[in-house]
Amino acid sequence: MLPANGERGITLRIEHLPTARLPRLVSVTPDDTLKRVKTLFTRHRYAQFPVLTDSSTPAGAVTRKSIMSADMTGRLLTLTSVTEPVKLASIDEEVRKVFPTVGAPRFVLVRDEGGLISGIVTLSDVNKAHQKLSGPYILIGEIESRLRKILNRACATIDELRSATGRRAVKAPHELTMGDLERAFSGEECWTRLDWDIDQDVFTGELRVVRKIRNKFAHYQSGQLSEAEENQLIEFLGWLEELTAER
């Protein structure tokens, strides 16, 4: 799920990249032979494999480059001798922190909520994700940001915000999910304060559609938005602009 991140929109986390949770993580063990590893490299088009002692304990990684370098020496080597150290990333870490602009690792192994190694994310995966997802993320983030600002004006105090959303522990608008926002706009308390001259059911119906698109995208059920879904978001964002411009 994509977490809210206040005015900055939605934070891209490791869990949002498809290679963070692989149905089948191809890996090798420290006891495997180089012949087996080379065979796997010819079978798969990966540039590296994790070397795992067990499903939750990484011993490092072996790369095509390290194998080629070993072959050039002509010496009889073991897998352990060509295994490189590897960085680990938690499934919920922010991508920008794991892969900073300067000094980013070529790849990281991903540890899931249960402590298992669930995937391997490369710098190439991150670059592709940014190219593919930046448009939808900007749209979704802007819609959420505007909805929170509107709700914050209607419910200026924390008590009013909690009452409108039903979230007793909420401390600030940026903590609200799309579900919280839909609940608030569906209630009479918030809607009366907005004093909008539009039909509440029509607005909340459109908001419900936007939430479903957002959740579908956030849970990575779809790699990208359809043209109809993207148009729905663009039109809803334009509507929000019109509604707030009148104030």
Side-chain angles (χ1 to χ4, degrees):
M1 178 178 179
L2 295 179
N5 197 21
E7 297 302 317
R8 294 172 292 170
I10 298 174
T11 299
L12 183 64
R13 298 186 185 276
I14 293 295
E15 65 182 319
H16 303 139
L17 305 178
T19 54
R21 297 184 194 269
L22 294 170
R24 178 193 173 208
L25 176 63
V26 181
S27 63
V28 296
T29 73
D31 296 328
D32 279 332
T33 63
L34 282 179
K35 182 177 182 179
R36 183 173 189 275
V37 176
K38 290 178 182 179
T39 302
L40 288 173
F41 273 124
T42 62
R43 167 63 181 83
H44 302 279
R45 295 187 177 184
Y46 304 142
Q48 57 276 315
F49 291 122
V51 181
L52 304 180
T53 302
D54 55 49
S55 58
S56 60
T57 309
V62 59
T63 67
R64 284 183 181 272
K65 184 177 180 180
S66 65
I67 293 291
M68 290 176 62
S69 298
D71 284 343
M72 290 177 66
T73 65
R75 293 179 294 172
L76 183 63
L77 300 174
T78 63
L79 175 57
T80 301
S81 65
V82 292
T83 297
E84 303 177 354
V86 65
K87 291 188 176 182
L88 290 174
S90 298
I91 195 79
D92 61 348
E93 282 191 75
E94 294 183 30
V95 168
R96 66 183 180 86
K97 293 182 179 179
V98 177
F99 292 92
T101 305
V102 179
R106 290 175 295 154
F107 61 91
V108 297
L109 299 185
V110 182
R111 191 184 295 282
D112 69 13
E113 299 90 344
L116 303 179
I117 304 303
S118 60
I120 180 168
V121 171
T122 69
L123 187 57
S124 176
D125 294 329
V126 172
N127 291 335
K128 288 178 182 178
H130 278 302
Q131 293 173 7
K132 194 173 187 179
L133 305 179
S134 59
Y137 268 95
I138 291 171
L139 275 174
I140 293 169
E142 184 63 20
I143 287 172
E144 291 191 341
S145 177
R146 285 178 182 268
L147 288 171
R148 292 190 186 98
K149 287 179 181 177
I150 292 168
L151 183 60
N152 192 41
R153 287 198 294 268
C155 301
T157 69
I158 293 300
D159 286 340
E160 289 172 347
L161 201 62
R162 289 172 176 173
S163 177
T165 61
R167 286 274 305 276
R168 302 308 305 171
V170 70
K171 297 179 180 178
H174 73 260
E175 297 177 3
L176 301 177
T177 66
M178 280 292 282
D180 296 328
L181 293 167
E182 183 183 340
R183 192 177 306 112
F185 283 101
S186 298
E188 288 302 320
E189 183 178 1
C190 170
W191 191 258
T192 301
R193 287 198 180 103
L194 288 172
D195 194 29
W196 282 350
D197 189 23
I198 59 173
D199 186 89
Q200 183 180 15
D201 289 339
V202 173
F203 181 84
T204 54
E206 291 293 314
L207 178 54
R208 188 174 304 110
V209 172
V210 168
R211 175 179 58 79
K212 289 179 179 179
I213 293 173
R214 184 262 187 209
N215 287 347
K216 174 185 174 183
F217 181 74
H219 289 281
Y220 223 91
Q221 296 172 1
S222 172
Q224 58 186 359
L225 298 181
S226 67
E227 184 177 353
E229 290 170 331
E230 186 169 357
N231 286 338
Q232 175 73 29
L233 296 183
I234 292 172
E235 291 171 4
F236 187 77
L237 179 57
W239 194 20
L240 288 180
E241 291 174 347
E242 291 177 7
L243 289 172
T244 53
E246 294 174 357
R247 298 291 146 183

